[in-house]
Amino acid sequence: MTSFIPPNRILMGPGPSNVHPRVLDAMARPTIGHLDPKFIDLMDEIKELLKYAFQTNNEVTFAVSGPGSVGMETCLVNLVETGAKVLVCINGVFGGRMKSIVERCGAEAIVLNMPWGSAVDPQLFDDTLKKNKGISLCLFVHAETSTGAKSDIKNLTDIAHKYNCLVIADTVTSLAGIPLLIDEWNIDVAYSGSQKCLSCPPGLSPVTFNERAIEFIKQRKTPVQSWFMDLNLILSYWSGSNKRAYHHTAPINSLYALHEALLILKEEGIENSWKRHKTNGEKLVSELDKIGLKPFVKEDERLPQLTSVSVTEGIDEAKVRSSLLNDYNIEIGAGLGELAGKVWRIGLMGYSSRKENITLLLAALQRLLY
């Protein structure tokens, strides 16, 4: 065996995205201790930069040591108690994952199913809350990675609060890619991932909790079922004071990377990042249309940073993906679940969201399809 040298791919799938060179450089810096005063300073800066990315002043804003799925589980296990009623909106794979966690917590999942590729319908959401008394928590996905559909989570949050419910929003694919205003939209809890529009390696999950959610957690009747994800324990490490209690050995170099990625986002400006993703997403759809490929999601519910493309009948979609990877060094994603074999998922996220990548992909697809 020899040292592993990975191929230099153009990552245009549903994630991870290509990592910015500055972020890769940051990861190579010397490792220091996870309780080193200099590292504590870095953690505080990461918290402030994450507040900017989430557009929030929530004090409880930090990065969970684990991928987006760990962020999801952290948020849910802290707010879901045994016997509670939880409304879970499912319009793709990740709503289904939420339901599984809710049930593992011993709670009752009230499910609102939507067609894959559609946004969560606000009227059906309201109707479900009206018909099912006693729901305390609502879960939904802002940007459904499995389909490329976005939901109006501001509207959903307003409706949930009307019924005195807390909300948890999955923002794994939306953070830095489309407008996400945690404070302005009154979102109680949100989690994300480092590997999408932040152009950082996988393995960290930014989360944010408002005071209403923290108060709910403090008043729980039962302990949080997970030791590692118990917010009361994690915050002893991520708290604002210089004296931190040991909780776990943080992924130090990965946090260097997240810090650098967030600095790059701050330098570009969050509104400029949203605009870049929107411009490039629209250009991709326009160029795909010229070669006869149509988006799966309708325009007003479509993500600009992740486009699901309907595979034309007669095309061997797996063969096309394989040829893109092996012959052109371009990775795109397959469909998941009920969309397997029916769509390609093309990502233009973070550092991968560049016009030259669109040009390369379209040229390759034209050669492969015609």
Side-chain angles (χ1 to χ4, degrees):
M1 294 185 185
T2 59
S3 297
F4 176 67
I5 307 297
N8 191 14
R9 306 285 197 201
I10 300 169
L11 300 180
M12 298 183 69
S17 60
N18 285 119
V19 178
H20 196 288
R22 277 175 54 184
V23 176
L24 290 174
D25 288 344
M27 289 190 74
R29 292 169 189 162
T31 303
I32 57 178
H34 59 285
L35 292 173
D36 189 299
K38 292 296 183 184
F39 188 67
I40 300 301
D41 291 343
L42 179 78
M43 292 170 69
D44 287 337
E45 287 193 9
I46 289 172
K47 287 178 63 175
E48 290 306 309
L49 289 165
L50 282 174
K51 288 180 184 180
Y52 174 72
F54 276 122
Q55 293 290 282
T56 184
N57 290 313
N58 289 343
E59 181 57 32
V60 181
T61 301
F62 65 101
V64 174
S65 299
S69 294
V70 178
M72 175 193 289
E73 195 152 6
T74 297
C75 294
L76 268 62
V77 298
N78 278 278
L79 280 104
V80 177
E81 287 199 88
T82 300
K85 283 187 176 182
V86 180
L87 175 54
V88 185
C89 301
I90 301 179
N91 62 336
V93 166
F94 295 96
R97 191 169 295 181
M98 286 178 170
K99 176 178 179 288
S100 177
I101 296 171
V102 167
E103 292 171 341
R104 287 166 185 259
C105 290
E108 180 185 354
I110 308 297
V111 176
L112 172 57
N113 278 305
M114 299 297 304
W116 284 37
S118 298
V120 177
D121 185 302
Q123 187 58 58
L124 292 177
F125 182 75
D126 195 314
D127 292 344
T128 305
L129 284 168
K130 191 178 298 180
K131 292 174 185 175
N132 294 273
K133 305 300 182 185
I135 292 174
S136 60
L137 183 63
C138 298
L139 316 178
F140 39 71
V141 178
H142 189 199
E144 179 51 74
T145 313
S146 63
T147 67
K150 65 176 177 180
S151 292
D152 182 355
I153 62 171
K154 178 186 183 301
N155 195 2
L156 297 177
T157 299
D158 289 342
I159 295 167
H161 286 166
K162 186 174 71 173
Y163 292 91
N164 199 32
C165 297
L166 288 166
V167 303
I168 299 178
D170 178 317
T171 65
V172 169
T173 299
S174 59
L175 184 65
I178 54 175
L180 172 62
L181 308 170
I182 293 296
D183 285 359
E184 186 176 323
W185 297 350
N186 294 313
I187 295 167
D188 299 301
V189 179
Y191 61 88
S192 190
S194 55
Q195 75 277 19
K196 308 279 188 173
C197 296
L198 292 178
S199 285
C200 191
L204 291 169
S205 179
V207 297
T208 186
F209 295 75
N210 67 14
E211 290 182 6
R212 187 173 178 228
I214 295 300
E215 190 60 32
F216 182 93
I217 294 168
K218 288 179 179 177
Q219 293 179 5
R220 283 180 62 110
K221 298 180 181 67
T222 57
V224 175
Q225 68 162 342
S226 167
W227 180 90
F228 183 77
M229 300 174 205
D230 186 341
L231 207 65
N232 299 295
L233 301 176
I234 299 173
L235 291 181
S236 66
Y237 181 47
W238 276 94
S239 63
S241 64
N242 287 326
K243 187 177 181 181
R244 307 290 173 97
Y246 168 70
H247 179 263
H248 68 283
T249 303
I252 293 152
N253 290 62
S254 292
L255 285 164
Y256 296 168
L258 179 60
H259 181 268
E260 193 69 24
L262 291 167
L263 277 179
I264 293 167
L265 176 64
K266 187 77 182 290
E267 290 165 8
E268 180 179 16
I270 190 76
E271 294 87 357
N272 291 329
S273 181
W274 296 336
K275 183 178 179 181
R276 172 169 56 86
H277 285 90
K278 182 175 186 293
T279 299
N280 289 337
E282 290 173 348
K283 180 176 175 60
L284 173 66
V285 170
S286 174
E287 294 299 314
L288 288 170
D289 183 66
K290 292 177 183 177
I291 61 171
L293 295 175
K294 306 295 183 183
F296 177 72
V297 179
K298 65 181 183 179
E299 185 174 359
D300 61 341
E301 297 180 356
R302 188 186 307 149
L303 291 172
Q305 70 270 42
L306 182 60
T307 302
S308 286
V309 180
S310 296
V311 177
T312 307
E313 190 174 348
I315 292 176
D316 185 336
E317 70 85 20
K319 184 178 179 182
V320 171
R321 283 188 292 106
S322 178
S323 295
L324 282 172
L325 189 70
N326 295 321
D327 300 336
Y328 297 94
N329 223 21
I330 299 172
E331 178 184 274
I332 64 171
L336 294 178
E338 63 184 63
L339 296 184
K342 299 177 182 177
V343 301
W344 292 309
R345 290 181 297 154
I346 302 175
L348 288 170
M349 295 183 283
Y351 189 59
S352 294
S353 183
R354 293 184 285 166
K355 288 183 173 62
E356 54 265 39
N357 284 349
I358 300 172
T359 301
L360 288 169
L361 175 63
L362 267 293
L365 283 172
Q366 281 183 302
R367 292 190 189 101
L368 292 170
L369 297 177
Y370 304 104

